[in-house]
Amino acid sequence: MLVDDNPVNVELLGEILARPDTQVLTAYNAFPALDIARAERPNLIVLDVAMPAIDGFELFKMLRNSSETADIPVIFVTSLNDLDAQERAMEMGAADYITKPFSSEYVVGRVEQILSGGR
């Protein structure tokens, strides 16, 4: 599942991660993302940090506090190239923190590794 308030970013990541046997769910802010995650239980969430109203960190807390979504791995993909934000994400339990601009190959590799049970 991709969560980003910028439709261009969602489209780009969707194209990068698209596979014939994979459904990529999308949301553009926290509340629909939380509803979709609870209903669909995606295998992984790729989450932007800087979003209006509720940012990615707050959404991450909401996901962790819900029994339906607590165990879904989350990769933050963000333009915040800030060591404090990266440390915060990892301390919260994120699977990874990737800054933009990113390598498509790296994102695909991390997603595949996490989905295969690796960290």
Side-chain angles (χ1 to χ4, degrees), residues 22-79:
T22 302
Q23 178 185 13
V24 178
L25 305 169
T26 60
Y28 299 99
N29 63 58
F31 292 115
L34 189 58
D35 290 341
I36 292 167
R38 286 178 174 155
E40 300 294 331
R41 306 217 28 170
N43 295 326
L44 174 75
I45 298 173
V46 177
L47 177 58
D48 185 27
V49 174
M51 296 189 297
I54 297 177
D55 70 14
F57 290 125
E58 289 302 313
L59 176 55
F60 185 83
K61 288 180 194 175
M62 296 165 73
L63 291 163
R64 288 296 176 259
N65 288 327
S66 173
S67 61
E68 297 98 347
T69 59
D71 60 341
I72 299 171
V74 173
I75 297 175
F76 284 102
V77 176
T78 180
S79 59

